[in-house]
Amino acid sequence: MSEWLTPAEWGVVTLSLKVSLVAVAITLPVSYALAWVLARRRFPGRILLDAVVHLPLVVPPVVTGWILLVLFGRNGPIGAWLESQFGLVLVFRWSGAALAAAVMALPLMVRAMRLSIEAVDRRLVDAARTLGASPWRAFLSITLPLSAPGIAAGAMLGFARSLGEFGATITFASNIAGQTRTLPLAIYSGLQLPGAELQVARLSLISVVLSLAALVISELLVRRSGGGRAHVL
């Protein structure tokens, strides 16, 4: 692949993979915790929390990027605190692109995991509790392993979504070559340049192949864990 791609294009691909993997790693525990709360708990404001979690699906991505810029920018309340306490700056960095991708991937990951948790028979958990298992042990021995297909499916969907993220990334992390220019941004930049059709075609093909592979792997993992009955696609 290194002979087929130019060094700059190879850099775009590796940066996109790094951003997507970090985004999934950041989002995975948060997504599962939110999915469990939404699937198992009833409390005032649950509908509002559900709506907030799914907000990135319906709000224009540039609005999500702007909100991230306000909160995590160098003068934002969270961004200023991160820089003063840890020297961490996210805006216009690859880490900011990972944060933007994580936020945009969150709803899909929560949805897949929540469906999987809701499919776990609560009578199994109740039976474990009547036999003396603590809530934490019942969760680790029953809910977590039985919802594993949803975790795998959510992670793969989040990875595919992160690979395709554009609007929030360009707003929050900008389009800086070698820094924040992931596959969608590189394709967009190529479309602005005359004579870059082959570059756009190569990067677009890579995007399709990677996203398709993530979706197929997700489906295979779910079917394998679900004995051929479960589906995510």
Side-chain angles (χ1 to χ4, degrees):
M1 182 175 289
S2 59
E3 296 178 354
W4 182 51
L5 297 175
T6 66
E9 292 167 352
W10 181 242
V12 169
V13 174
T14 55
L15 177 63
S16 297
L17 293 174
K18 181 171 75 171
V19 166
S20 299
L21 290 173
V22 171
V24 171
I26 293 172
T27 315
L28 194 61
V30 178
S31 298
Y32 192 81
L34 287 170
W36 186 86
V37 168
L38 292 172
R40 293 299 197 212
R41 296 300 182 194
R42 298 292 182 270
F43 54 90
R46 177 174 170 274
I47 294 177
L48 179 60
L49 175 62
D50 197 7
V52 171
V53 167
H54 290 86
L55 200 58
L57 286 179
V58 293
V59 167
V62 291
V63 174
T64 301
W66 174 77
I67 293 173
L68 290 175
L69 197 59
V70 170
L71 295 177
F72 291 91
R74 303 189 76 160
N75 296 321
I78 302 176
W81 180 79
L82 288 174
E83 185 173 5
S84 64
Q85 297 297 317
F86 306 104
L88 180 61
V89 177
L90 297 175
V91 65
F92 306 140
R93 308 286 174 85
W94 76 266
S95 51
L99 176 62
V103 171
M104 298 303 294
L106 180 71
L108 290 176
M109 296 178 68
V110 170
R111 188 173 182 80
M113 294 176 188
R114 179 180 176 181
L115 291 174
S116 183
I117 294 171
E118 289 175 342
V120 176
D121 193 340
R122 296 198 66 164
R123 291 174 297 183
L124 295 175
V125 179
D126 294 338
R129 294 296 308 280
T130 59
L131 293 175
S134 64
W136 182 242
R137 183 167 182 177
F139 168 77
L140 290 179
S141 60
I142 297 175
T143 305
L144 185 61
L146 291 180
S147 61
I151 298 175
M156 284 299 169
L157 288 174
F159 178 76
R161 179 64 186 87
S162 298
L163 277 175
E165 165 48 30
F166 178 83
T169 300
I170 199 170
T171 305
F172 181 59
S174 190
N175 183 10
I176 306 172
Q179 295 291 325
T180 65
R181 183 171 291 173
T182 55
L183 276 166
L185 301 181
I187 293 169
Y188 171 77
S189 299
L191 289 172
Q192 312 304 311
L193 299 174
E197 291 82 5
L198 285 179
Q199 176 189 351
V200 170
R202 286 195 296 268
L203 295 179
S204 298
L205 178 61
I206 291 173
S207 296
V208 171
V209 170
L210 290 175
S211 299
L212 188 61
L215 292 175
V216 170
I217 291 172
S218 174
E219 179 71 7
L220 291 176
L221 286 171
V222 170
R223 290 189 178 189
R224 184 176 180 180
S225 300
R229 297 185 301 275
H231 301 278
V232 69
L233 296 179

